[in-house]
Short mmCIF file of all heavy atoms in Angstrom, two decimals:
data_model
loop_
_atom_site.label_atom_id
_atom_site.label_comp_id
_atom_site.label_asym_id
_atom_site.label_seq_id
_atom_site.Cartn_x
_atom_site.Cartn_y
_atom_site.Cartn_z
N VAL A 131 19.75 131.41 101.32
CA VAL A 131 19.92 130.58 102.50
C VAL A 131 21.38 130.43 102.91
O VAL A 131 21.69 130.24 104.10
CB VAL A 131 19.28 129.19 102.25
CG1 VAL A 131 20.10 128.40 101.23
CG2 VAL A 131 19.13 128.41 103.54
N GLU A 132 22.29 130.56 101.96
CA GLU A 132 23.72 130.42 102.28
C GLU A 132 24.19 131.43 103.31
O GLU A 132 25.14 131.16 104.07
CB GLU A 132 24.55 130.58 100.99
CG GLU A 132 24.41 129.44 100.01
CD GLU A 132 23.19 129.55 99.10
OE1 GLU A 132 22.40 130.51 99.26
OE2 GLU A 132 23.01 128.67 98.24
N LEU A 133 23.53 132.59 103.37
CA LEU A 133 23.92 133.61 104.33
C LEU A 133 23.58 133.24 105.76
O LEU A 133 24.08 133.86 106.71
CB LEU A 133 23.24 134.95 103.97
CG LEU A 133 23.64 135.57 102.63
CD1 LEU A 133 22.78 136.80 102.36
CD2 LEU A 133 25.12 135.94 102.62
N PHE A 134 22.75 132.23 105.93
CA PHE A 134 22.30 131.83 107.26
C PHE A 134 23.09 130.65 107.83
O PHE A 134 22.75 130.13 108.89
CB PHE A 134 20.81 131.49 107.22
CG PHE A 134 19.92 132.68 106.98
CD1 PHE A 134 19.77 133.20 105.70
CD2 PHE A 134 19.23 133.28 108.02
CE1 PHE A 134 18.95 134.30 105.46
CE2 PHE A 134 18.41 134.38 107.79
CZ PHE A 134 18.27 134.88 106.52
N LYS A 135 24.13 130.22 107.15
CA LYS A 135 24.89 129.07 107.62
C LYS A 135 25.75 129.38 108.84
O LYS A 135 26.00 128.52 109.68
CB LYS A 135 25.74 128.52 106.47
CG LYS A 135 24.92 127.85 105.38
CD LYS A 135 25.79 127.23 104.31
CE LYS A 135 24.94 126.50 103.27
NZ LYS A 135 25.76 125.88 102.20
N ASN A 136 26.23 130.62 108.92
CA ASN A 136 27.00 131.04 110.10
C ASN A 136 26.01 131.44 111.19
O ASN A 136 25.19 132.33 110.98
CB ASN A 136 27.90 132.22 109.73
CG ASN A 136 28.73 132.71 110.90
OD1 ASN A 136 28.19 133.22 111.89
ND2 ASN A 136 30.04 132.60 110.77
N PRO A 137 26.07 130.82 112.38
CA PRO A 137 25.08 131.10 113.44
C PRO A 137 25.00 132.56 113.85
O PRO A 137 23.90 133.08 114.07
CB PRO A 137 25.57 130.22 114.60
CG PRO A 137 26.34 129.12 113.95
CD PRO A 137 27.00 129.75 112.76
N LEU A 138 26.14 133.24 113.94
CA LEU A 138 26.14 134.64 114.35
C LEU A 138 25.50 135.52 113.28
O LEU A 138 24.68 136.39 113.59
CB LEU A 138 27.57 135.10 114.64
CG LEU A 138 27.71 136.55 115.16
CD1 LEU A 138 26.93 136.71 116.47
CD2 LEU A 138 29.18 136.89 115.36
N VAL A 139 25.88 135.27 112.03
CA VAL A 139 25.31 136.04 110.91
C VAL A 139 23.81 135.76 110.81
O VAL A 139 23.00 136.68 110.59
CB VAL A 139 26.01 135.68 109.59
CG1 VAL A 139 25.31 136.36 108.42
CG2 VAL A 139 27.47 136.10 109.65
N ALA A 140 23.44 134.50 110.99
CA ALA A 140 22.03 134.11 110.91
C ALA A 140 21.22 134.82 112.00
O ALA A 140 20.11 135.30 111.75
CB ALA A 140 21.89 132.60 111.07
N TRP A 141 21.77 134.90 113.21
CA TRP A 141 21.08 135.59 114.31
C TRP A 141 20.88 137.06 113.96
O TRP A 141 19.77 137.60 114.13
CB TRP A 141 21.90 135.47 115.60
CG TRP A 141 21.28 136.18 116.77
CD1 TRP A 141 20.39 135.68 117.67
CD2 TRP A 141 21.50 137.56 117.14
NE1 TRP A 141 20.03 136.64 118.58
CE2 TRP A 141 20.69 137.81 118.28
CE3 TRP A 141 22.27 138.60 116.63
CZ2 TRP A 141 20.65 139.05 118.92
CZ3 TRP A 141 22.23 139.84 117.26
CH2 TRP A 141 21.44 140.06 118.38
N PHE A 142 21.94 137.71 113.47
CA PHE A 142 21.85 139.13 113.14
C PHE A 142 20.84 139.37 112.03
O PHE A 142 19.98 140.26 112.13
CB PHE A 142 23.22 139.67 112.73
CG PHE A 142 23.21 141.12 112.36
CD1 PHE A 142 23.16 142.11 113.34
CD2 PHE A 142 23.22 141.52 111.03
CE1 PHE A 142 23.14 143.45 113.01
CE2 PHE A 142 23.19 142.86 110.68
CZ PHE A 142 23.15 143.82 111.68
N MET A 143 20.92 138.58 110.97
CA MET A 143 20.02 138.78 109.85
C MET A 143 18.57 138.52 110.23
O MET A 143 17.67 139.25 109.80
CB MET A 143 20.43 137.88 108.68
CG MET A 143 21.76 138.28 108.06
SD MET A 143 22.11 137.41 106.52
CE MET A 143 20.82 138.02 105.46
N THR A 144 18.34 137.49 111.04
CA THR A 144 16.98 137.21 111.50
C THR A 144 16.42 138.37 112.31
O THR A 144 15.25 138.75 112.15
CB THR A 144 16.96 135.92 112.35
OG1 THR A 144 17.40 134.82 111.55
CG2 THR A 144 15.55 135.63 112.86
N HIS A 145 17.26 138.97 113.16
CA HIS A 145 16.83 140.10 113.97
C HIS A 145 16.70 141.39 113.16
O HIS A 145 16.16 142.39 113.65
CB HIS A 145 17.78 140.31 115.15
CG HIS A 145 17.55 139.33 116.27
ND1 HIS A 145 17.86 137.99 116.16
CD2 HIS A 145 17.01 139.48 117.51
CE1 HIS A 145 17.55 137.37 117.28
NE2 HIS A 145 17.03 138.24 118.11
N MET A 146 17.21 141.34 111.91
CA MET A 146 17.03 142.46 110.99
C MET A 146 15.91 142.15 109.99
O MET A 146 15.78 142.79 108.97
CB MET A 146 18.33 142.76 110.25
CG MET A 146 19.43 143.32 111.15
SD MET A 146 19.01 144.87 111.96
CE MET A 146 19.06 145.99 110.56
N TYR A 147 15.10 141.12 110.32
CA TYR A 147 13.92 140.72 109.55
C TYR A 147 14.23 140.09 108.20
O TYR A 147 13.39 140.11 107.29
CB TYR A 147 12.95 141.89 109.39
CG TYR A 147 12.36 142.37 110.68
CD1 TYR A 147 12.42 143.70 111.06
CD2 TYR A 147 11.74 141.48 111.56
CE1 TYR A 147 11.87 144.14 112.27
CE2 TYR A 147 11.21 141.90 112.76
CZ TYR A 147 11.28 143.22 113.12
OH TYR A 147 10.75 143.64 114.31
N ALA A 148 15.41 139.50 108.05
CA ALA A 148 15.69 138.72 106.85
C ALA A 148 15.17 137.30 107.04
O ALA A 148 15.11 136.80 108.16
CB ALA A 148 17.19 138.68 106.59
N PHE A 149 14.79 136.65 105.95
CA PHE A 149 14.40 135.25 106.02
C PHE A 149 14.97 134.52 104.80
O PHE A 149 15.10 135.09 103.72
CB PHE A 149 12.88 135.09 106.12
CG PHE A 149 12.09 135.61 104.96
CD1 PHE A 149 11.64 134.75 103.96
CD2 PHE A 149 11.77 136.95 104.86
CE1 PHE A 149 10.88 135.22 102.89
CE2 PHE A 149 11.02 137.44 103.79
CZ PHE A 149 10.57 136.57 102.81
N PRO A 150 15.37 133.25 104.99
CA PRO A 150 16.10 132.54 103.93
C PRO A 150 15.22 131.93 102.85
O PRO A 150 14.10 131.50 103.11
CB PRO A 150 16.82 131.43 104.72
CG PRO A 150 15.92 131.16 105.89
CD PRO A 150 15.31 132.49 106.25
N VAL A 151 15.78 131.89 101.65
CA VAL A 151 15.13 131.23 100.52
C VAL A 151 16.17 130.39 99.81
O VAL A 151 17.32 130.80 99.64
CB VAL A 151 14.50 132.25 99.55
CG1 VAL A 151 15.55 133.20 98.98
CG2 VAL A 151 13.76 131.54 98.42
N LYS A 152 15.79 129.17 99.43
CA LYS A 152 16.66 128.30 98.65
C LYS A 152 16.43 128.61 97.18
O LYS A 152 15.40 128.25 96.62
CB LYS A 152 16.35 126.84 98.96
CG LYS A 152 16.63 126.46 100.41
CD LYS A 152 16.19 125.03 100.69
CE LYS A 152 16.41 124.69 102.16
NZ LYS A 152 15.91 123.32 102.49
N ARG A 153 17.39 129.28 96.59
CA ARG A 153 17.23 129.75 95.22
C ARG A 153 17.19 128.61 94.22
O ARG A 153 17.97 127.67 94.32
CB ARG A 153 18.36 130.73 94.87
CG ARG A 153 18.38 131.98 95.72
CD ARG A 153 19.48 132.92 95.33
NE ARG A 153 20.79 132.30 95.54
CZ ARG A 153 21.94 132.89 95.23
NH1 ARG A 153 21.94 134.09 94.70
NH2 ARG A 153 23.09 132.28 95.45
N GLY A 154 16.25 128.70 93.27
CA GLY A 154 16.17 127.73 92.19
C GLY A 154 15.68 126.36 92.61
O GLY A 154 15.82 125.39 91.86
N LYS A 155 15.07 126.26 93.79
CA LYS A 155 14.63 124.95 94.28
C LYS A 155 13.15 124.92 94.64
O LYS A 155 12.70 124.06 95.36
CB LYS A 155 15.47 124.53 95.48
CG LYS A 155 16.95 124.36 95.15
CD LYS A 155 17.75 123.89 96.35
CE LYS A 155 19.22 123.70 96.00
NZ LYS A 155 20.00 123.23 97.17
N GLY A 156 12.38 125.90 94.14
CA GLY A 156 10.95 125.92 94.42
C GLY A 156 10.66 125.95 95.91
O GLY A 156 9.88 125.14 96.41
N ASP A 157 11.31 126.88 96.61
CA ASP A 157 11.20 126.94 98.08
C ASP A 157 9.85 127.53 98.49
O ASP A 157 9.69 128.74 98.62
CB ASP A 157 12.34 127.80 98.63
CG ASP A 157 12.44 127.74 100.15
OD1 ASP A 157 11.58 127.08 100.76
OD2 ASP A 157 13.35 128.35 100.70
N THR A 158 8.88 126.66 98.71
CA THR A 158 7.53 127.13 99.05
C THR A 158 7.47 127.69 100.47
O THR A 158 6.60 128.51 100.76
CB THR A 158 6.50 126.00 98.91
OG1 THR A 158 6.89 124.89 99.74
CG2 THR A 158 6.42 125.53 97.47
N SER A 159 8.37 127.27 101.35
CA SER A 159 8.37 127.79 102.72
C SER A 159 8.61 129.30 102.73
O SER A 159 7.92 130.05 103.42
CB SER A 159 9.45 127.10 103.57
OG SER A 159 9.17 125.74 103.74
N ALA A 160 9.58 129.75 101.93
CA ALA A 160 9.88 131.17 101.85
C ALA A 160 8.74 131.95 101.20
O ALA A 160 8.39 133.05 101.63
CB ALA A 160 11.18 131.39 101.08
N ILE A 161 8.15 131.37 100.15
CA ILE A 161 7.02 132.03 99.49
C ILE A 161 5.84 132.14 100.45
O ILE A 161 5.21 133.21 100.58
CB ILE A 161 6.59 131.24 98.23
CG1 ILE A 161 7.70 131.27 97.17
CG2 ILE A 161 5.29 131.81 97.66
CD1 ILE A 161 7.97 132.63 96.57
N ASP A 162 5.54 131.05 101.16
CA ASP A 162 4.43 131.07 102.12
C ASP A 162 4.69 132.06 103.24
O ASP A 162 3.76 132.73 103.72
CB ASP A 162 4.23 129.67 102.71
CG ASP A 162 3.70 128.67 101.69
OD1 ASP A 162 3.23 129.11 100.62
OD2 ASP A 162 3.77 127.46 101.96
N TYR A 163 5.94 132.18 103.65
CA TYR A 163 6.29 133.13 104.71
C TYR A 163 6.11 134.57 104.21
O TYR A 163 5.64 135.43 104.94
CB TYR A 163 7.73 132.90 105.16
CG TYR A 163 8.14 133.67 106.39
CD1 TYR A 163 7.68 133.31 107.65
CD2 TYR A 163 9.01 134.77 106.29
CE1 TYR A 163 8.07 134.01 108.78
CE2 TYR A 163 9.40 135.46 107.41
CZ TYR A 163 8.93 135.10 108.65
OH TYR A 163 9.31 135.79 109.78
N GLY A 164 6.47 134.80 102.95
CA GLY A 164 6.26 136.12 102.36
C GLY A 164 4.79 136.49 102.33
O GLY A 164 4.41 137.64 102.61
N VAL A 165 3.95 135.52 102.01
CA VAL A 165 2.50 135.74 102.02
C VAL A 165 2.04 136.08 103.44
O VAL A 165 1.24 137.00 103.64
CB VAL A 165 1.76 134.50 101.49
CG1 VAL A 165 0.25 134.64 101.70
CG2 VAL A 165 2.07 134.29 100.01
N LYS A 166 2.55 135.35 104.42
CA LYS A 166 2.19 135.59 105.82
C LYS A 166 2.58 137.01 106.26
O LYS A 166 1.82 137.70 106.95
CB LYS A 166 2.89 134.56 106.72
CG LYS A 166 2.50 134.63 108.19
CD LYS A 166 3.39 133.74 109.03
CE LYS A 166 3.20 132.27 108.74
NZ LYS A 166 1.92 131.79 109.31
N ILE A 167 3.77 137.44 105.84
CA ILE A 167 4.24 138.79 106.17
C ILE A 167 3.22 139.84 105.72
O ILE A 167 2.83 140.74 106.49
CB ILE A 167 5.61 139.05 105.51
CG1 ILE A 167 6.71 138.27 106.21
CG2 ILE A 167 5.95 140.56 105.52
CD1 ILE A 167 8.02 138.24 105.44
N LEU A 168 2.79 139.73 104.48
CA LEU A 168 1.87 140.71 103.91
C LEU A 168 0.47 140.59 104.52
O LEU A 168 -0.17 141.61 104.81
CB LEU A 168 1.81 140.54 102.40
CG LEU A 168 3.10 140.95 101.68
CD1 LEU A 168 3.19 140.30 100.32
CD2 LEU A 168 3.20 142.46 101.56
N GLU A 169 0.01 139.38 104.74
CA GLU A 169 -1.33 139.17 105.29
C GLU A 169 -1.43 139.69 106.73
O GLU A 169 -2.51 140.06 107.18
CB GLU A 169 -1.71 137.70 105.24
CG GLU A 169 -1.87 137.13 103.83
CD GLU A 169 -3.05 137.73 103.07
OE1 GLU A 169 -3.79 138.56 103.63
OE2 GLU A 169 -3.23 137.38 101.88
N GLU A 170 -0.30 139.74 107.44
CA GLU A 170 -0.30 140.23 108.81
C GLU A 170 0.01 141.72 108.90
O GLU A 170 0.21 142.26 109.99
CB GLU A 170 0.68 139.42 109.66
CG GLU A 170 0.25 137.97 109.84
CD GLU A 170 1.08 137.21 110.86
OE1 GLU A 170 1.84 137.86 111.62
OE2 GLU A 170 0.96 135.98 110.92
#
């Protein structure tokens, strides 16, 4: 998630299909999004 703090970098990474995860914090949003990616 730290890579997404800069708005310009975040825009570029998002458009390159990156998505953020909070490491070591049980980030269920990122896990659920990963499931959605595969299910679609």
Side-chain angles (χ1 to χ4, degrees):
V131 70
E132 291 83 358
L133 296 174
F134 291 78
K135 290 184 177 180
N136 180 295
L138 183 60
V139 174
W141 179 90
F142 179 77
M143 292 190 65
T144 299
H145 282 70
M146 292 299 289
Y147 295 127
F149 62 99
V151 60
K152 296 175 183 177
R153 298 181 297 177
K155 297 182 179 180
D157 189 358
T158 57
S159 295
I161 295 293
D162 291 345
Y163 189 74
V165 171
K166 185 189 293 286
I167 287 167
L168 291 159
E169 294 293 358
E170 293 190 13

